[in-house]
Amino acid sequence: MDKNLDTIQPIFWRDNRLELLDQRRLPQEEIWLNYDDSDEVATAITEMVVRGAPAIGVTAAYAVVLAARSAWNNAAEQWPQAMVESLEKLAASRPTAVNLFWAIDRMTALYKTLPANESPEAALLEEAKAIHAEDIKANHAMGHLGSALIDADSTVLTHCNAGALATGGFGTALGVIRQGYTDGKINHVYADETRPWLQGSRLTAWELQKDNIPVTLQAEGAAASLMATGELDWIIVGADRISANGDVANKVGTYMLAILAKYHGVKMMVVAPTTTIDWQLQEGKDIPIEQRSASEVTTIQGQQIAPAGVAASNPAFDVTPAELIDAIVTEAGVILSPSLETMIEIKPADYVN
Ligand code: MRU
């Protein structure tokens, strides 16, 4: 069995700039794009060059370094004020993944302590690298915690891509799947193709195939009949934002899977670092859901599929109520039957709303 299941990383800081693997082109082409400019990184996040909540957070942290560099070069001691506009653009890049705002806030808290008469770049870069390393470490911890919940020889289904590509490395849901496969807990993975961006067929299938983990791709509409066969043990997904009561915003279609899972007695696991929890929101109904362009639904990879002019709705995420979730796995611990009461177990003691 291949034990080295940690080979893909989508984000690098190299030669004083940010490098992103262009996820829009995978799996046909592996193209790396270089960034020196924070505003261009914001556009890259909006346009899905990089996607997945933790990966967006790590990328935003490096973008803050780029914003600070250009503010220092252009405005010298006025750099803290000079970078505000870029940070606002970054924060507007995608609305649902709370990791974006968490990373900007953490970098902002640091830069506010730095002296105005020195370049902030080195200190901010160290912090961004720490955020990146912490994310990978959290994924490995969650991999072990999630794998421990799964019985030997299980079959699982995942939706969208919550893999190495969606994080600093290793993955959240796919981190559990990688670890579960290594531990002999998981034999087989079903991957939903995940319309409209096809993260399942383009990214998850690519990652699992690279790691020699048996994967079968299916249209998400096939999930109910798969569950009816009794073959499936767990659904394992990531999250973009989790509210204080354990409601989970994740790729649209996750809620549908959770309802089907309850009906068929399949267990539902959400794997996400604590950076994905928004303690300020009591319930999932308050999570902002990104509405993307209708053209992403009416076309497939640029080719028009639907009749010209037809209306199309394109919410990128949906919210699964906590009561449909068996386990939320974080690096700080596992919450079984999540609720306002049980989520407290992983709430930082010093958290102030
Ligand atoms: O629109 P995307 O591709 O950014 O959506 C990604 C997801 O929904 C993932 O499941 C989520 O961000 C968790 S990634 C570890």
Side-chain angles (χ1 to χ4, degrees):
M1 189 183 294
D2 187 354
K3 299 279 181 195
N4 183 25
L5 306 183
D6 193 9
T7 49
I8 301 163
Q9 276 207 19
I11 304 163
F12 280 96
W13 182 267
R14 248 188 315 237
D15 299 330
N16 287 319
R17 60 190 185 184
L18 180 64
E19 287 185 22
L20 298 175
L21 179 57
D22 188 347
Q23 301 194 26
R24 300 166 304 180
R25 313 280 281 269
L26 290 172
Q28 276 77 23
E29 294 175 298
E30 289 179 39
I31 298 202
W32 289 85
L33 302 177
N34 300 318
Y35 295 90
D36 291 305
D37 180 74
S38 161
D39 292 358
E40 284 176 21
V41 178
T43 303
I45 293 173
T46 305
E47 294 183 353
M48 309 281 279
V49 170
V50 60
R51 30 65 52 201
I56 292 171
V58 171
T59 301
Y62 286 121
V64 174
V65 180
L66 296 174
R69 177 197 289 167
S70 101
W72 171 257
N73 287 342
N74 295 326
E77 294 195 5
Q78 304 304 313
W79 67 262
Q81 301 88 300
M83 61 193 277
V84 168
E85 209 174 301
S86 287
L87 298 196
E88 283 170 2
K89 179 148 194 234
L90 207 50
S93 58
R94 288 194 80 187
T96 304
V98 78
N99 307 60
L100 170 69
F101 309 100
W102 172 88
I104 295 172
D105 286 351
R106 178 160 153 182
M107 297 296 283
T108 302
L110 173 64
Y111 87 66
K112 289 200 164 151
T113 67
L114 298 175
N117 60 352
E118 283 173 27
S119 163
E121 185 171 339
L124 288 172
L125 180 57
E126 198 182 321
E127 190 75 348
K129 285 183 171 171
I131 287 172
H132 194 170
E134 287 165 24
D135 183 62
I136 297 172
K137 192 171 168 211
N139 291 338
H140 283 279
M142 291 187 287
H144 287 286
L145 290 170
S147 172
L149 299 175
I150 301 170
D151 291 335
D153 300 328
S154 291
T155 297
V156 304
L157 168 75
T158 191
H159 187 65
C160 193
N161 171 268
L165 292 168
T167 63
F170 197 63
T172 58
L174 287 198
V176 169
I177 288 171
R178 287 188 161 94
Q179 192 58 52
Y181 181 69
T182 303
D183 296 344
K185 301 294 191 72
I186 294 174
N187 280 345
H188 198 92
V189 182
Y190 283 88
D192 277 351
E193 65 174 355
T194 319
R195 279 284 292 143
W197 270 88
L198 301 170
Q199 290 94 332
S201 27
R202 294 189 306 102
L203 309 178
T204 297
W206 181 74
E207 283 199 33
L208 294 178
Q209 217 178 39
K210 253 184 182 315
D211 282 348
N212 293 316
I213 298 175
V215 57
T216 302
L217 194 61
Q218 65 174 21
E220 45 256 64
S225 49
L226 174 67
M227 289 187 218
T229 65
E231 197 189 329
L232 207 57
D233 300 289
W234 281 93
I235 292 165
I236 307 180
V237 294
D240 274 76
R241 198 185 291 221
I242 301 175
S243 55
N245 69 341
D247 291 346
V248 169
N250 190 50
K251 180 51 56 195
V252 68
T254 303
Y255 178 31
M256 180 171 71
L257 288 174
I259 292 171
L260 292 172
K262 188 61 109 193
Y263 180 81
H264 290 99
V266 174
K267 282 171 282 184
M268 180 87 191
M269 185 191 303
V270 174
V271 190
T274 47
T275 52
T276 301
I277 303 174
D278 186 344
W279 295 109
Q280 289 182 349
L281 297 188
Q282 293 291 104
E283 295 178 35
K285 68 176 174 42
D286 298 324
I287 297 174
I289 299 296
E290 178 181 15
Q291 293 288 334
R292 293 186 63 90
S293 159
S295 67
E296 293 178 353
V297 175
T298 56
T299 62
I300 294 184
Q301 297 201 305
Q303 186 174 341
Q304 183 74 28
I305 300 296
V310 72
S313 157
N314 188 12
F317 304 98
D318 59 24
V319 176
T320 300
E323 67 197 61
L324 296 179
I325 298 165
D326 293 282
I328 295 181
V329 176
T330 75
E331 80 284 11
V334 174
I335 302 299
L336 300 175
S337 305
S339 67
L340 207 49
E341 292 71 40
T342 57
M343 288 287 288
I344 298 284
E345 289 166 36
I346 53 163
K347 187 170 182 178
D350 56 356
Y351 186 85
V352 197
N353 258 356

